[in-house]
Amino acid sequence: MGITNSIPGPSLPNLPRILATFYEPQSVIMPQATSLSSWKALQEHHDTVGKSFVLKEQFEKDPERFNKFSFTFENTADNSEILFDFSKNFLTEETLELLVNVAKEAGVEQLRDQMFKGEKINFTEDRAVLHAALRNVTNEPILVDGKDVMPGVNKELKHMEEFSEAIRSGEWKGYTGKPLTNIINVGIGGSDLYVLSTFGVIGTDSKIAAQ
């Protein structure tokens, strides 16, 4: 989690594909991130500082590196704490400032606020982006066109829970009448990465997977 490999080699060219997708409310034009002045400053920084960056040396030079590049957030849902540690990533204080400048020029802050307000920032489908609603464990109202979407979201999440439990318990049978033991996941992006990361934790142990 965090800003991964912000300075060195091959990872920087991948960022335009992420940042180029920002939405400009007054226009359907979507400029490439590489056209932003802030991006050019970041590229220059990468070309100079990045090529000589050694993470181990950065920790040796600055004993406060962890404190500078980590934050602790209070999780109001269960009063726990979430540690966001990006000190192990290849960046300096200047790198972080330059990345923030790119995000600001790309309108990320505005998009974030519009997303939480339920505004239709997915302009290709003319609808709201409801990622926040799926993770809204406090059930605070999230309005889209003046209507709270949380009752519908909770209904679908409950349906998913019941479906998952039916598979794990063996109640849901396959075509042969036997419990399902293998699941094929078809997805892209987060739909694939979430399942992939979960599988990486539990491995192929069916007993653990069934829990």
Side-chain angles (χ1 to χ4, degrees), residues 4 21 32 50 53 89 98 101-102 108 155 157 167 201:
T4 304
T21 58
Q32 290 290 316
F53 187 94
N89 291 273
L98 291 169
N101 289 340
V102 174
V108 172
K155 178 182 178 181
L157 290 175
I167 291 179
V201 173

Side-chain angles (χ1 to χ4, degrees), residues 48-59:
T48 54
V49 178
K51 294 181 179 179
S52 60
F53 187 94
V54 179
L55 183 59
K56 181 180 179 180
E57 293 179 358
Q58 295 299 316
F59 274 98

Side-chain angles (χ1 to χ4, degrees), residues 50-178:
K51 294 181 179 179
S52 60
F53 187 94
V54 179
L55 183 59
K56 181 180 179 180
E57 293 179 358
Q58 295 299 316
F59 274 98
E60 292 174 349
K61 292 178 183 177
D62 186 3
E64 291 296 312
R65 181 175 175 84
F66 170 77
N67 294 327
K68 288 181 180 178
F69 299 116
S70 64
F71 297 101
T72 300
F73 301 91
E74 180 184 357
N75 183 0
T76 56
D78 60 6
N79 295 319
S80 62
E81 290 186 341
I82 300 174
L83 173 64
F84 178 34
D85 175 16
F86 51 100
S87 63
K88 313 301 188 300
N89 291 273
F90 294 167
L91 80 166
T92 66
E93 291 180 271
E94 183 182 4
T95 314
L96 185 58
E97 181 180 353
L98 291 169
L99 287 168
V100 170
N101 289 340
V102 174
K104 287 183 175 180
E105 188 176 0
V108 172
E109 292 172 305
Q110 181 182 5
L111 285 169
R112 174 201 62 200
D113 294 340
Q114 290 174 327
M115 179 183 71
F116 279 103
K117 291 178 181 177
E119 296 183 16
K120 299 178 181 180
I121 60 174
N122 181 346
F123 64 92
T124 57
E125 300 178 6
D126 190 31
R127 64 179 182 176
V129 178
L130 298 177
H131 298 73
L134 294 174
R135 297 158 178 81
N136 182 19
V137 296
T138 61
N139 276 323
E140 296 180 20
I142 295 182
L143 304 179
V144 176
D145 294 331
K147 181 181 179 181
D148 184 10
V149 300
M150 288 311 303
V153 169
N154 289 331
K155 178 182 178 181
E156 292 304 318
L157 290 175
K158 183 63 177 176
H159 186 195
M160 291 169 61
E161 179 184 11
E162 293 170 349
F163 173 70
S164 300
E165 290 294 340
I167 291 179
R168 284 193 288 263
S169 67
E171 177 185 355
W172 189 294
K173 302 295 193 301
Y175 177 76
T176 61
K178 299 179 180 179

